[in-house]
């Protein structure tokens, strides 16, 4: 009785009971998976108007870029903000759904979510053009060994108490990977002391039956200031990749910090750096400029490339125009952003595209289609 009561009290502390239970009833594990695929995202939206939808699509595409790269700061990288303005051009489909929750007073409230699905090939091209790191698929599913002490002693969170770990599991999905929980056998329950001591070797031995050999070890407890503290260690094949602590007034946020730290450690070890070239000013020579209309077509084409910050005409001849382009990436990234149907096409790829060091002139040849 006492143990059951302690678990119930802890769940009440961790989750706003009416809202969390209402949401759980509406969204099954399958629903969550379908809304959080690698190229899918769901974001709140005020209405179904076009203006609100476009803003929501931009946020959704930003979430997808974050998941694909694993980079929490993906939105702040050069060119990403500009690219998100054209998010609707990458959409495969979208729809809306409503979440219903109940406040502490029992009053129902509704929230509209836009669920967006983006074309994988186009998004992959955008990631490459922007030089974002790529976190390869399939991704590992580390096992979480989490012990929680709400004042009555530490207890292991296993599959049977998955509701208590929901903030942690959901945050991992938002970061583009999944976490698993142990089965909760008697032997695993007895491991709580090793988890609390952060004995990584003992936890790794107990986790040998699970695959892959990765463990997220955490302990969550009340801090001296009345808030919550979570201490974490992430282990990969017996090697400690990272350890960190999260301190929050809310237990759910402290718990979710474990997923962020694990994602950061995995990305640091396994993500592949994108190759888009260094930002700067590049000289491009464009042939096929015979009239003012051709120049306007060129200007419009360049203005539509998110990585172009500025363009300055430098020299003109009979059918050729040289410009200095200020780019947020190098010429490889610029070429990828042009696409196959652009009015402008490269004639000779820049040195970086050919695997050679870029020359001092940073010059490339293009032609108008």
């Amino acid at each position: 009785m006492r143990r059951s009561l302690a678990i119930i009290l802890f769940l009440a502390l961790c989750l706003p009971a009416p809202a969390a239970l209402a949401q759980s009833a509406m969204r099954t594990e399958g629903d969550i998976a379908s809304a959080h695929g690698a190229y899918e995202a769901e974001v709140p939206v005020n209405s179904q108007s076009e203006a609100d939808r476009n803003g929501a699509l931009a946020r959704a595409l930003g979430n997808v870029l974050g998941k694909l790269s694993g980079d929490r700061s993906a939105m702040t990288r050069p060119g990403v903000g500009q690219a998100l303005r054209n998010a609707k051009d990458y959409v495969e489909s979208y729809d809306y759904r409503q979440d219903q929750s109940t406040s502490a007073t029992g009053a129902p409230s509704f929230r509209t979510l836009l669920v967006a699905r983006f074309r994988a090939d186009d998004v992959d091209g955008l990631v490459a053009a922007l030089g974002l790191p790529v976190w390869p698929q399939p991704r590992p599913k580390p096992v979480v060994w989490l012990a929680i002490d709400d004042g009555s002693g530490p207890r292991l969170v296993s599959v049977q108490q998955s509701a208590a770990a929901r903030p942690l599991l959901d945050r991992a999905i938002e970061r583009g990977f999944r976490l698993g929980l142990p089965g909760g056998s008697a032997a695993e329950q007895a491991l709580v002391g090793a988890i609390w001591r952060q004995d990584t070797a003992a936890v790794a031995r107990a986790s040998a039956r699970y695959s892959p050999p990765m463990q997220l070890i955490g302990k969550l407890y009340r801090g001296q200031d009345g808030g919550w503290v979570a201490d974490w260690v992430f282990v990969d094949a017996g090697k400690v990749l990272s350890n960190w602590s999260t301190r929050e007034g809310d237990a759910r946020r402290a718990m979710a910090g474990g997923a962020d730290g694990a994602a950061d450690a995995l990305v640091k070890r396994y993500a592949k750096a994108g190759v888009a070239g260094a930002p700067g000013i590049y000289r491009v020579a464009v042939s096929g400029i015979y009239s003012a209309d051709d120049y306007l077509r060129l200007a419009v084409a360049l203005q539509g490339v998110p990585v172009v910050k500025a363009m300055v005409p430098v020299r003109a001849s009979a059918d050729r125009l040289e410009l200095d382009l200020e780019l947020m990436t190098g010429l490889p990234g610029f070429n990828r952003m042009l696409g196959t149907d652009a009015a402008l096409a490269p004639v000779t790829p820049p040195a970086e595209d050919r695997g050679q060091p870029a020359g001092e002139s940073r010059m490339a040849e293009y032609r108008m289609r």
Side-chain angles (χ1 to χ4, degrees), residues 132-148:
L132 295 176
V134 177
W135 186 6
Q137 302 272 4
R139 293 174 182 173
K141 185 179 181 180
V143 179
V144 181
W145 296 90
L146 175 63
I148 300 176

Side-chain angles (χ1 to χ4, degrees), residues 77-99:
R77 286 182 172 250
V80 173
Q82 289 80 356
L84 295 184
R85 296 172 188 169
N86 301 317
K88 63 181 181 181
D89 297 336
Y90 298 87
V91 174
E92 181 177 90
S93 66
Y94 69 86
D95 52 39
Y96 296 89
R97 71 175 181 81
Q98 280 195 328
D99 269 357

Side-chain angles (χ1 to χ4, degrees), residues 55-124:
L57 288 173
R59 297 196 304 275
L61 180 56
N63 291 348
V64 167
L65 295 181
K67 285 195 289 186
L68 291 175
S69 68
D71 184 358
R72 275 198 270 185
S73 61
M75 296 278 286
T76 65
R77 286 182 172 250
V80 173
Q82 289 80 356
L84 295 184
R85 296 172 188 169
N86 301 317
K88 63 181 181 181
D89 297 336
Y90 298 87
V91 174
E92 181 177 90
S93 66
Y94 69 86
D95 52 39
Y96 296 89
R97 71 175 181 81
Q98 280 195 328
D99 269 357
Q100 178 182 351
S101 61
T102 306
S103 68
T105 63
S109 63
F110 299 89
R111 183 178 66 154
T112 301
L113 297 172
L114 180 141
V115 182
R117 304 166 190 87
F118 297 92
R119 295 188 299 275
D121 290 345
D122 290 347
V123 174
D124 288 344

